[in-house]
Structure formats: structure tokens, C-alpha cells
Amino acid sequence: MEKFELRQWSVWGLQAAKDISLIKNNNMFGLVSDDEILPPIYSSITPINKTDSIVWFKVALKDKYGIIQCDLKESKFILDIEYDSIEWVNFEKDYYNHFFLVKKNGLKGVYNKHGDLCVPCLYDEIKFDEHHFFYLERNQQVEAYSINEKEYISLKYDKIEVTPDGAKVYLGNHVGAFREGKEVCPPIYDDVEFEYGNDIIIKVGKLLGVITESGSIIEPKFENLTYLTSGYYGFLHNNKWGVVSTNCIIPPKYDYIYDGRYSCNIYGRIGREMYNISKKEKFIETFLLDQSCGYEKTDSPILKFDSSDIDLLAF
């Protein structure tokens, strides 16, 4: 019997620790620790994840797979060796919630990391996003399953495209967005994209707008939009940059616009001079946008700043 000393994993608690090693005999694999042994009768044993106190191994036998969980107390099967495939589902934004995506008899299901059934093996396809939703497809119908609420939501769309930030939903030739159990953007646009900070870029023809996280809308009237900070976007027109949000527009007069990163300020450059464009949303005066800008005239307040709101910096 051959023991792989280098293929060793350790689990520990407050007052104890245990080493687990992979063993091999006649080209079959097993596991051994200080006080127990899993005999070398398996086609393969692969570690798929580890914490300080637990290691999970995917075990194969005759083209079927199961999961062994090893901790300080014992090593035990939490998923029997009966699945066609097993994948570890890891949420980038959540270190603690992990799941097993399994396939049995051609259909998929989901178990949590403890081996408890979440979604039975009834579905043709299962995808997931980073908001703890699984999208379950069966007979060309799609349901969303909320991990936290443990509820199913029927989705009445022609097509669904799952991304880490949510699902793009299609109805006829139009596109919308579904996220965190609700339709956050109706399928009435030519295209949508999930933006940083839970905003959604909407597209009508070649023009872009935004649905913000709060549900407010920047109408699609811009040829380009660049995310600056929460609710604020830069746009380029005639080689000059302006700023737009749901309640204000700074006309395009800057050579370039910079986001303030962690300060959440916005900076504009004109020639060699840099301006700190405040976001106090203090409406001082009402303007009309020049029609030559290419946007509709509006009587709504346009954001303007007095000298106390603008810091002239050396550039």
C-alpha cells in the first residue's frame, strides 16, 4: 500500500488536530487518518474544498460520484456514490454558503454543504447568480429558487440568460432584468447590462440610459455612459464630458471626467485646470440645455455650483 505524504490535509479545533492522507493500492484510492481509514477501493478521491475544521472529498466509483466530509470527529459520506456528476458551487460574495450541484439520471439538483437536499434532481439545467438564486429549467420552463427564503418563483419569459449579477430576461425582441426575486427592469428595452453598484444600463437603439438600484431612471438619450460613482455617470458629446444623474445634468464642457474613487467625489478637467465637482445636489439656478447638445430641452433644474462648491486645483 502506498501512502502519499505530500497529499495531506489537516483539520483542527480548539484543542485537537487531525491529519488526513491519501493512500493508493492497486491503482485504487482511499483515505487514512490517525484513528480511521477509508479503504483503497475507489477510482479517484479529489479534495474539492477545505475550511480549518472540514475537508470535502469527491469520491468516484465506476463512473459514479459521492461526497465524503472529514472533520475532527469522523469521516462520513454526506452524498452517496450515486450521481453522474458533482460540482462545488462557490459564491464569490459569500464565503459561508456553498452548495453541491449534482446530476442523476440526466437531471440536476442541489444539496447544501452539509448534504441536505435543497432542490431535487428534477431539472434539465440549473444556473445561479451571486444573489443566492438558482435558476431551474425544466421542459423549457424556468423557475427561480431563493436559497435564503426557500421559495420558488415562476418566471414567464421566452428566454433567460443568467449572469453573476442576476438574469437578463427576454420577451419577444425585448430585454429586461430579474434580480433578488423580482423584476428590476421590465423587458421593454433593446438590451440591458448589469452595472457596478446594482445599476442597470438600458439600451434603446444606439442610446443608453440607466435604471439605478433605487429604481430611478436616467432616460436612454446618451450615446455613451461611464460609471463614476453611485447614481452618477459621465457622458461624452462633441469631445467634451458632462455628468448626468436621475435629477441633474452638468452639460458637456470638461475635457475629461474622473471619479474620486474612495472619496466619492467627481473631478472635471478643463485645459490644465482641475475642478472638484461637488455632489451636494444644491440646485442654485434653472437652465435650459442648448438644443445643439443633441438632447431635449428641459425646464428641470440643472446642477450648478457656486465658488464655495468648486475647488480649483493645480494640474
Side-chain angles (χ1 to χ4, degrees), residues 250 282-285 287 302-306 309:
I250 300 175
K282 181 165 62 176
F283 296 104
I284 300 173
E285 192 172 342
F287 292 84
I302 303 301
L303 191 61
K304 184 182 178 182
F305 305 96
D306 61 19
D309 293 319

Side-chain angles (χ1 to χ4, degrees), residues 105-142:
N105 299 326
L107 297 175
K108 294 183 177 182
V110 179
Y111 289 83
N112 67 18
K113 64 183 179 181
H114 304 296
D116 301 320
L117 179 65
C118 298
V119 177
C121 293
L122 298 173
Y123 297 92
D124 302 319
E125 186 61 77
I126 297 179
K127 298 179 180 179
F128 60 95
D129 63 23
E130 288 291 331
H131 297 279
H132 295 174
F133 272 84
F134 285 91
Y135 297 85
L136 318 173
E137 182 177 337
R138 176 171 55 179
N139 299 327
Q140 297 183 333
Q141 300 294 318
V142 179

Side-chain angles (χ1 to χ4, degrees), residues 78-248:
I78 59 172
L79 295 182
D80 293 332
I81 302 178
E82 58 184 43
Y83 298 96
D84 304 325
S85 66
I86 298 177
E87 299 176 31
W88 178 263
V89 176
N90 180 42
F91 294 105
E92 293 183 4
K93 298 178 182 179
D94 188 346
Y95 180 78
Y96 297 101
N97 278 318
H98 306 296
F99 295 84
F100 298 107
L101 178 61
V102 302
K103 187 175 184 179
K104 183 178 181 180
N105 299 326
L107 297 175
K108 294 183 177 182
V110 179
Y111 289 83
N112 67 18
K113 64 183 179 181
H114 304 296
D116 301 320
L117 179 65
C118 298
V119 177
C121 293
L122 298 173
Y123 297 92
D124 302 319
E125 186 61 77
I126 297 179
K127 298 179 180 179
F128 60 95
D129 63 23
E130 288 291 331
H131 297 279
H132 295 174
F133 272 84
F134 285 91
Y135 297 85
L136 318 173
E137 182 177 337
R138 176 171 55 179
N139 299 327
Q140 297 183 333
Q141 300 294 318
V142 179
E143 296 175 292
Y145 175 72
S146 168
I147 298 169
N148 297 330
E149 302 297 329
K150 296 181 173 57
E151 65 176 347
Y152 293 86
I153 303 169
S154 179
L155 303 180
K156 304 297 184 181
Y157 303 105
D158 298 333
K159 177 185 172 184
I160 291 180
E161 181 183 326
V162 180
T163 76
D165 297 306
K168 294 174 65 172
V169 296
Y170 296 78
L171 198 59
N173 295 322
H174 295 99
V175 190
F178 180 92
R179 181 174 57 207
E180 298 187 71
K182 60 184 178 181
E183 185 181 87
V184 292
C185 172
I188 59 175
Y189 300 100
D190 294 336
D191 199 6
V192 301
E193 295 293 339
F194 292 98
E195 180 57 271
Y196 183 82
N198 288 333
D199 289 350
I200 298 171
I201 299 294
I202 53 179
K203 184 176 183 181
V204 176
K206 294 183 178 180
L207 300 179
L208 303 178
V210 180
I211 297 180
T212 67
E213 183 177 11
S214 65
S216 301
I217 298 177
I218 299 174
E219 295 294 339
K221 301 177 182 180
F222 302 89
E223 295 177 355
N224 53 74
L225 288 171
T226 299
Y227 180 86
L228 296 172
T229 188
S230 179
Y232 288 81
Y233 287 78
F235 66 93
L236 184 65
H237 182 73
N238 290 335
N239 293 320
K240 296 293 182 179
W241 285 90
V243 177
V244 61
S245 76
T246 57
N247 56 9
C248 69

Side-chain angles (χ1 to χ4, degrees), residues 23-30 40-43 60-61:
I23 57 175
K24 181 180 179 182
N25 187 37
N26 294 328
N27 214 31
M28 304 297 282
F29 296 89
I41 60 173
Y42 301 100
S43 308
L61 181 62

